[in-house]
Structures are given as structure tokens and as C-alpha cells.
Amino acid sequence: MQAALTEARFALSTGDVPVGALVVDEAGEVIGRGRNVRERDHDPTGHAEVVALRQAAAARGSWRLDGCTLVVTLEPCTMCAGAIVLARVSRLVFGAYDEKAGAVGSLWDVVRDRRLNHRPEVLAGVLANEATALLDEFFAEQRR
């Protein structure tokens, strides 16, 4: 999670919401890194999770990321939760809950929906205080 928080801090330089993510393979090697790039790239799909999943799929040469863990500083939204399910990610680890847009228990629970054909293991709240503080500082600065 510390590495994901580092990725999140990099997003600050482009005015993006500081969310960071990485994909770790079965051997514990990082095969994908991402941070929010919506503002930088003018891309509505430029969420940290999507960026990391794309990089991991390219590294693997396959869209199937079974056996992999996605680590992200903020609870995924519906788009990202759907991408996690579709990529067959085995585990999801996230930091802060997102009460306004979270889709892993806050507003919805996409990744645990039994109607879908894949459900990753979920570990929530890892370094949540650090992730929340980074987001709180960013949004406080935006309001000034």
C-alpha cells in the first residue's frame, strides 16, 4: 500500500485526485502501476485502477489477471470494480472507503455480487488513515 500511496502523490503534480494503484503478480512482483490521470489526459476512464490493470495486462500479454492482487488507495468506483471483475483479479486490497462513489461495500458491492461470474477476495481499510489524509488535504486545497 505504501507504493500505491507514492503513486497517488504523483497524481498531485497534474491536478488529479491523488489515487494510486498497483497490480502484483503471484510471485509478488509489481506488473502494473497507475495513478489518476483524468485531468492530465482528459480521459474519463483515467482512474488509477484502470491504468494499472492495462499496464499489468500488457506485461502479462493477457487480459486475464487471475492470481494477481490489485492494491489501490481508495475504494474502487463502479467502473473500476467492473474492470476488476472482468480482468479476473484474484484479490483486491484498498485503503480508504469512498462513501460517495464506492462500489466495494459503500454504495454498491459490485465485486461481491453473486450474479457475476467472478468475485475477488477483498481486504479493505489497509492504511486507510494515510489514504484518507492525502485525499482530505487535496480536497481542502481545491476549496481554497
Side-chain angles (χ1 to χ4, degrees), residues 48-128:
E49 301 95 322
V50 171
V51 173
L53 290 170
R54 285 177 179 156
Q55 194 177 95
R60 270 211 164 165
S62 172
W63 60 267
R64 293 178 185 272
L65 299 177
D66 37 345
C68 292
T69 300
L70 174 70
V71 180
V72 62
T73 59
L74 180 65
E75 178 184 1
C77 69
T78 52
M79 175 183 68
C80 294
I84 291 162
V85 170
L86 293 173
R88 311 295 195 268
V89 170
S90 294
R91 277 166 301 288
L92 167 64
V93 177
F94 72 87
Y97 279 92
D98 184 350
E99 300 299 327
K100 294 180 181 175
V104 186
S106 289
L107 290 182
W108 300 280
D109 204 348
V110 173
V111 300
R112 293 184 190 104
D113 191 320
R114 295 207 180 278
R115 295 169 293 182
L116 299 175
N117 64 343
H118 178 75
R119 286 177 298 286
E121 174 187 344
V122 176
L123 179 58
V126 176
L127 296 181

